[in-house]
Structures are given as C-alpha cells and as structure tokens.
Amino acid sequence: VMQIQSFNQQFISDIIENADKYDLGDIIEQFDEYDGNLAKEMNQYNLTYPITISAPNTVLFILRITGSDTQHAIKVDFLLSNSSVGEVVIPKTIFRFSSPDQAATVVIRYFDGSDSLMNQKQDNRTGQYEPTLVASGILSCSMYPVQNESFTTPVKFNLKLKFNDAYPPYQCAYWNKTRWSQYGMEFVDYNSTSVQCKTNHFTSFAVLMQNFEIV
C-alpha cells in the first residue's frame, strides 16, 4: 500500500507541476492508462479490503471483488479536505462473474484540478485554449478484466459542483478521446450542491454546464 501511495503521489505531483504542458484531455488519458494498469496489477493479489489513498487534489480507491462476495453493490464516498466531493454506487452485476472464484478489481479516482486546467478547450483552428464549463471534478473509473460491453445495470454517481455560481440545467458527460460525450450517460437529478448521473460504461466523467456543446 505504501508503494502504491508513493507512486500515486509522484504521478499526481508530476501532473500538477507540468500542468502548463497539458490540456485536460492529456491528463484524463494519463489517468485512464495509469489506473487501468493499476487495476490489472492489483487483480493478481488477494486483496481482502478496500484501499483509499489521498494525494494533493485527488483521492484513489481500489477494491477487488469476487463472485462469492455477497454484497449487491459497492458504495464509494470521496472526501477531499474532509469534505464530500463525490459518491459512486457500483452494482455487482456489472462484473458478470460466471463462478464464485472469478475476481475483478476496480480503481476509481476523483481529481480536482485548478480552475484554469479544468476549464479549457483547444480550438483546432487557432490552437488557442478557450474556456469551457466543467462544473465538477473528474471521476475516473477503471476495472480489470475490462468489460467491453455496456453494463446491464447502470452505475450511479454524484459529483459536487465546484462553483457557487454554477447553474442548471447540467449535463452528465464522459471524455471520449478528444471531446466530451453523453453516449451511455443519463442525467438523474441535481440540488444546490451536486449532480447525480448514471452510466453504462467505465471511463472518465464530469458534470458540464448545459450550454457547452457536446456529442
């Protein structure tokens, strides 16, 4: 666990220190690769308890689950500076175990970068970055073995709104290689502090303002 914590802290420190060299898409792709590899590595071990690791601007959650586990869903709460920033509820049915001995590992990360980093979009014509309207932190979800098919039961998550002046309506979105997309996403509800969404797949998610164009 200490080794994972050390590597994760160095990984996040490198991202923060070199934030001026990246756009948000670059960072999300790094999360997907790092966390996907971590899920694959941790699935080799008989991890009998969940691991939560904190680093500047991020919280990392790791859990290995088997077909013999009796819980119907996994609930993960994320705290930054002792304040709730998100929640994920993962139904066991998404793992599609065919025997009690089968195992899967999930790695879930919440990342809250600076406002300038989180809200930027590169104009392909000019190469300049223009402000976007990402209203929450980034929720990155990985699992191993990878499920290539859509989940039959959706995963639910809540994300805290970052700004006091964020206003509805909101959009639940995920990062699709080059831009935000709504495919496989469902907006559920919102209140003055958070937005609830559903998804039928794992990747990196965020809450956007409604007037930001996505596909």
Side-chain angles (χ1 to χ4, degrees):
V1 173
M2 292 181 64
Q3 186 179 47
I4 297 172
Q5 185 172 12
S6 176
F7 287 165
N8 181 65
Q9 186 156 349
Q10 184 60 54
F11 171 62
I12 294 299
S13 295
D14 289 345
I15 288 177
I16 294 174
E17 290 174 5
N18 296 285
D20 58 330
K21 301 178 182 177
Y22 301 128
D23 62 29
L24 184 56
D26 293 332
I27 292 175
I28 291 175
E29 289 174 7
Q30 290 186 62
F31 287 157
D32 289 344
E33 180 179 4
Y34 182 95
D35 295 346
N37 289 337
L38 181 59
K40 182 177 181 180
E41 179 182 354
M42 295 303 295
N43 200 55
Q44 304 174 48
Y45 303 103
N46 186 24
L47 186 65
T48 58
Y49 56 91
I51 297 175
T52 302
I53 295 174
S54 297
N57 302 87
T58 190
V59 181
L60 188 67
F61 176 87
I62 307 168
L63 176 67
R64 185 176 184 267
I65 186 170
T66 67
S68 61
D69 288 332
T70 58
Q71 56 187 330
H72 297 293
I74 304 164
K75 182 180 178 182
V76 184
D77 294 304
F78 290 97
L79 300 175
L80 276 181
S81 302
N82 296 319
S83 177
S84 177
V85 292
E87 175 189 275
V88 185
V89 179
I90 306 171
K92 184 182 175 183
T93 54
I94 74 166
F95 300 106
R96 299 176 181 171
F97 294 127
S98 58
S99 73
D101 297 329
Q102 280 192 309
T105 299
V106 293
V107 174
I108 307 174
R109 178 188 301 276
Y110 178 89
F111 175 75
D112 187 3
S114 65
D115 293 347
S116 59
L117 175 62
M118 298 287 286
N119 284 283
Q120 59 178 358
K121 177 186 176 184
Q122 189 173 29
D123 188 314
N124 292 328
R125 296 167 300 177
T126 66
Q128 299 298 311
Y129 287 98
E130 300 176 350
T132 62
L133 298 171
V134 180
S136 70
I138 302 297
L139 181 70
S140 179
C141 302
S142 302
M143 67 183 293
Y144 186 84
V146 176
Q147 296 281 4
N148 293 320
E149 299 179 11
S150 298
F151 303 149
T152 54
T153 305
V155 172
K156 300 178 183 178
F157 63 88
N158 292 314
L159 288 175
K160 182 180 178 181
L161 296 170
K162 287 170 57 72
F163 312 113
N164 292 329
D165 57 350
Y167 54 87
Y170 303 106
Q171 295 178 111
C172 300
Y174 77 97
W175 187 256
N176 184 17
K177 296 183 179 179
T178 58
R179 63 182 303 172
W180 293 107
S181 174
Q182 286 182 298
Y183 181 77
M185 304 288 303
E186 179 183 346
F187 170 84
V188 179
D189 200 3
Y190 75 94
N191 57 33
S192 60
T193 61
S194 65
V195 174
Q196 184 180 38
C197 307
K198 290 181 181 179
T199 177
N200 66 8
H201 60 285
F202 271 172
T203 182
S204 293
F205 308 99
V207 173
L208 309 182
M209 304 288 266
Q210 184 71 34
N211 61 339
F212 179 49
E213 180 184 356
I214 62 176
V215 295

